[in-house]
Amino acid sequence: MFINETTNGTPLDSSWLPIYKIQGSGFYIGITSDNQWVIETNNSLFSLDASNRAIPIMELLELQPSEFYSAFYSACEEKGILKDIQQNFPVKKVIETGINQKSDYWCSLALNWLQALPMAEIGPFKSQLMDILEEKWLSQKTKQRIKKLLKF
């Protein structure tokens, strides 16, 4: 169950602005008045920085990164969200959540998003990717993609 709280358990500011509806899910990504990125589902908000509550955001992984960014930035601009706030969207959290699912499907989708990042931003994921290379749940194709990304 998702509740209105931040990573440290304090209540989220209930004044928020819905910005982007995740296609096919009914979930909304929005921002609170104190610039926290949140997701709304079943009339509850939760912070995208809350490590154990990011499952609904995985639906983003099923979109092509370019499609998401185009629609997301356009929606942000329509709502008057400043570019520096837009660029603080926790995309790395989305990627990390996909990799951590121990599912070839979600990991493969997360790799699509990881490959869309500038090379300089891939570094923090290298040890996480190295750690999963020998996992049995990972397909050979996904392992090869990881090795290519890590430049083996």
Side-chain angles (χ1 to χ4, degrees):
M1 180 173 163
F2 302 113
I3 56 176
N4 296 344
E5 65 179 45
T6 62
T7 51
N8 65 6
T10 58
L12 274 172
D13 180 343
S14 61
S15 63
W16 74 291
L17 178 64
I19 296 174
Y20 177 80
K21 183 177 181 180
I22 301 174
Q23 297 172 0
S25 71
F27 301 151
Y28 280 90
I29 294 172
I31 194 161
T32 64
S33 60
D34 60 349
N35 296 331
Q36 286 188 65
W37 287 104
V38 295
I39 189 166
E40 186 268 341
T41 177
N42 300 324
N43 296 318
S44 292
L45 292 180
F46 70 92
S47 170
L48 292 182
D49 292 326
S51 60
N52 60 345
R53 295 197 173 90
I55 302 301
I57 201 67
M58 286 174 36
E59 304 242 355
L60 283 180
L61 293 174
E62 293 181 314
L63 302 175
Q64 290 299 317
S66 59
E67 288 175 24
F68 168 75
Y69 286 124
S70 176
F72 177 74
Y73 288 142
S74 177
C76 283
E77 288 184 23
E78 286 174 19
K79 303 281 185 175
I81 305 299
L82 300 174
K83 287 203 183 289
D84 62 329
I85 295 171
Q86 293 175 34
Q87 295 182 355
N88 285 330
F89 181 78
V91 67
K92 291 177 185 171
K93 184 65 168 178
V94 176
I95 295 168
E96 180 183 305
T97 301
I99 292 171
N100 287 338
Q101 293 309 299
K102 296 185 179 181
S103 158
D104 186 69
Y105 175 75
W106 291 114
C107 185
S108 180
L109 292 177
L111 288 176
N112 294 341
W113 282 66
L114 190 57
Q115 290 173 312
L117 292 177
M119 285 304 289
E121 293 183 34
I122 294 175
F125 291 96
K126 286 187 176 184
S127 68
Q128 186 179 14
L129 293 172
M130 292 284 294
D131 290 345
I132 66 168
L133 264 177
E134 299 305 318
E135 295 290 342
K136 294 187 187 313
W137 52 263
L138 208 56
S139 72
Q140 191 61 35
K141 182 178 179 180
T142 303
K143 287 179 183 182
Q144 289 170 345
R145 288 182 63 202
I146 291 171
K147 287 178 181 179
K148 184 176 178 181
L149 190 63
L150 296 173
K151 307 265 191 261
F152 271 90

